[in-house]
Amino acid sequence: SRSSNSNGSVPSLEVAIVGGGIIGVMTALGLHRRGIKAVIYERAPTWHEVSAGFAFTGAGRECMQQLHPGIVEVLGRISQKTDASTSNTYWDAYHPRNRQDAEDESKALLFKTPNNKLDYWGCVRSQLLLGMAALLPDGAFKFGKQLLSYDDDEKTSKVILRFEDGTTAEADVLLGCDGIHSTTRRIMLGNDHPASRAGYTHIVAYRTMVPIDVGIAALGEKVAKTGCMHCGPNACLMSYPVMNGTLLNVAIFAHDPSEFPEPDKMTAPAERGEIERLFKGWSPHLANIAKLYPENLVKWGLFDMDENPPPTYASGRACIVGDAAHASTPFLGVGACTGVEDALVLCTILESARQKTSNSNVQGESLTQALQTYSQARLDRGRWVHHNSRQVGQMYQWRYGPTGRDTERIKQKLERDCHTIVDYDVMAPLVA
Ligand code: FAD
């Protein structure tokens, strides 16, 4: 609901969001719901997301609900919801020598964790983006707008955005939701700052989605119908059903000691033979998994902010949100959920900055302060996520020193991390 100041007018606040990915769109929806005008500037010619699967925790959905209830409605329509009675399972994918042993819980199952804690809903990314974009008001997004630079203009108290097509735009605040290779972050911190670029984690991902019956034939019924992690030396495989259980989302993660060939693109051409070589000598499910992939495919390089985390998420009238701030490996499965938390905190702070103002324009200083409050509220959480996600990735690949191949230690670390993800009070830093 719109609030008015002592003059009876609603203080104006115009927000520019750079990047129309999942987090840019959610942030825009959260702002519009609070009566704050926000325009998304997206470099692509239209909404674009890959048709890969990803999932949101129950805690993430609570944030969405507060941000804009329409987001949870869209997600609910297109999701595969985990059943509280089922579990995520973790399997030894290396030692079993035949298919029977590989599917025998007493021989190959490392441990289970109950689903009700994380309570994931899995969906297809492109469907979520389109569903949410349909909730945006007219004029709330502009395509073909690649941010090149911005000026935080002291005199006018405005941020001026400059785009590749030669045009400019003006706003009171700039929110950089421009992902892992964020231009906003580079400009904010300076080209030479180590955090201006994401670091290669030396892990590549091979992703595919197959019809559920193909998944069942490959991995067995027990495995294909729930969320699973297959662990082994220097690689692991994650699978879970999406699209109301009709598709199986599969991702292989492999340690890559060399440098990624295309550091700015995140993907590189690959061949099925790479996967065959990777799982040579593993148990039968994994040794045959390459058959689910086409002959020619792409592999994704996993980059994150863990080696050089940004010292701040805000400077002047600009801030970074979502992956632009704390891009993480996917092993905790909460990269986007962490961006949803950012969006909620930011929308709450901007709404309150506007309500507190006594002028018709929200003053630059109070906005700068508001963005600093956002940064302070989110820095530790963002860093915790990419740091622990890296550790968990290494753990699944039996490369993490403190857990090694020790099943009990692996389970304990996961439980601790899961607890930190779910029981975190997103709004607490604002109250303190
Ligand atoms: P992005 O999705 O990267 O969007 C950035 C947008 O900005 C893009 O549209 C881009 O075109 C635009 N842009 C970039 N530069 C400019 C510019 N200069 N000017 C204008 N526009 C620009 N998270 C979960 O919570 N659950 C999961 O299950 C999960 N699984 C994952 C699996 C994998 C394999 C990976 C790699 C990640 C996973 N994540 C998951 C993390 C999640 O995908 C990201 O956290 C999320 O997509 C980040 O969204 P974003 O909007 O911040 O960035």
Side-chain angles (χ1 to χ4, degrees):
S1 63
R2 283 188 163 235
S3 64
S4 50
N5 57 24
S6 51
N7 307 325
S9 65
V10 179
S12 79
L13 174 58
E14 295 193 355
V15 178
I17 296 178
V18 177
I22 299 287
I23 301 306
V25 173
M26 282 192 194
T27 308
L29 286 170
L31 291 172
H32 284 291
R33 180 149 180 275
R34 288 158 177 80
I36 297 173
K37 190 180 166 206
V39 178
I40 296 173
Y41 298 94
E42 165 59 46
R43 69 178 168 192
T46 182
W47 299 116
H48 85 121
E49 249 300 356
V50 290
S51 59
F54 75 158
F56 289 94
T57 60
R61 292 196 301 278
E62 274 172 35
C63 291
M64 290 176 191
Q65 179 70 27
Q66 291 177 55
L67 205 51
H68 188 306
I71 302 173
V72 184
E73 270 170 43
V74 170
L75 184 66
R77 280 203 301 274
I78 59 170
S79 285
Q80 165 73 16
K81 302 174 181 73
T82 50
D83 178 343
S85 65
T86 61
S87 306
N88 283 321
T89 51
Y90 298 81
W91 300 80
D92 176 351
Y94 185 68
H95 290 106
R97 290 295 93 200
N98 56 54
R99 190 164 173 138
Q100 203 182 352
D101 285 359
E103 288 179 36
D104 182 341
E105 292 197 1
S106 70
K107 291 187 175 142
L109 183 69
L110 297 173
F111 61 91
K112 292 181 184 189
T113 54
N115 264 333
N116 53 6
K117 201 102 212 276
L118 289 168
D119 191 15
Y120 277 116
W121 286 8
C123 70
V124 176
R125 305 174 64 109
S126 49
Q127 289 191 353
L128 178 64
L129 188 67
L130 286 179
M132 292 195 302
L135 303 176
L136 287 168
D138 286 347
F141 46 88
K142 295 194 166 130
F143 293 119
K145 297 287 174 195
Q146 175 163 1
L147 182 78
L148 288 185
S149 65
Y150 70 82
D151 291 326
D152 193 346
D153 193 330
E154 285 291 329
K155 278 188 241 113
T156 60
S157 295
K158 295 278 181 191
V159 188
I160 316 286
L161 295 80
R162 296 181 202 290
F163 301 106
E164 206 211 3
D165 64 359
T167 59
T168 59
E170 197 182 88
D172 298 304
V173 190
L174 185 165
L175 313 184
C177 301
D178 43 355
I180 187 163
H181 298 302
S182 167
T183 304
T184 312
R185 185 179 66 234
R186 189 166 44 74
I187 299 165
M188 178 188 285
L189 299 176
N191 217 13
D192 296 332
H193 195 286
S196 70
R197 278 167 192 81
Y200 184 40
T201 63
H202 292 279
I203 299 175
V204 288
Y206 302 88
R207 302 158 75 173
T208 190
M209 271 198 290
V210 294
I212 196 72
D213 49 331
V214 175
I216 290 172
L219 292 170
E221 177 115 22
K222 255 184 246 156
V223 165
K225 291 209 161 160
T226 58
C228 289
M229 181 60 75
H230 287 81
C231 303
N234 293 320
C236 59
L237 178 142
M238 182 183 72
S239 62
Y240 55 87
V242 290
M243 284 274 280
N244 298 318
T246 55
L247 295 175
L248 186 69
N249 187 51
V250 178
I252 294 166
F253 300 99
H255 178 52
D256 168 25
S258 43
E259 289 308 313
F260 195 67
E262 315 252 8
D264 292 327
K265 278 202 190 146
M266 297 165 80
T267 59
E271 289 165 12
R272 188 198 283 154
E274 289 176 35
I275 301 173
E276 283 163 357
R277 285 191 291 281
L278 190 65
F279 291 124
K280 205 158 181 244
W282 286 49
S283 71
H285 286 151
L286 277 287
N288 287 321
I289 203 78
K291 292 186 182 134
L292 300 188
Y293 286 78
E295 183 70 43
N296 294 304
L297 53 136
V298 291
K299 59 183 167 195
W300 295 57
L302 297 192
F303 291 75
D304 72 6
M305 298 308 298
D306 204 46
E307 249 150 64
N308 293 301
T312 177
Y313 293 164
S315 175
R317 289 177 198 77
C319 71
I320 44 178
V321 188
D323 273 19
H326 44 64
S328 157
T329 51
F331 300 107
L332 284 175
V334 292
C337 290
T338 313
V340 181
E341 295 175 359
D342 295 345
L344 178 60
V345 168
L346 195 51
C347 289
T348 308
I349 289 175
L350 289 177
E351 183 183 32
S352 131
R354 196 190 53 167
Q355 278 171 352
K356 276 189 213 139
T357 194
S358 53
N359 302 309
S360 60
N361 284 316
V362 181
Q363 293 299 296
E365 209 174 296
S366 70
L367 283 178
T368 303
Q369 188 49 50
L371 297 190
Q372 284 305 318
T373 307
Y374 157 75
S375 174
Q376 280 151 23
R378 298 299 302 155
L379 260 182
D380 286 351
R381 177 69 161 173
R383 288 179 179 181
W384 184 90
V385 168
H386 51 66
H387 193 62
N388 285 272
S389 180
R390 250 199 198 210
Q391 292 175 346
V392 168
Q394 291 167 358
M395 187 169 88
Y396 291 151
Q397 301 176 14
W398 293 347
R399 287 194 297 119
Y400 181 54
T403 50
R405 297 185 183 195
D406 184 321
T407 302
E408 194 48 40
R409 286 191 189 170
I410 292 176
K411 185 169 179 239
Q412 278 169 6
K413 170 153 175 67
L414 261 191
E415 276 169 359
R416 272 198 311 275
D417 287 359
C418 171
H419 182 75
T420 309
I421 290 166
V422 173
D423 297 336
Y424 178 75
D425 184 346
V426 178
M427 302 309 258
L430 298 188
V431 180

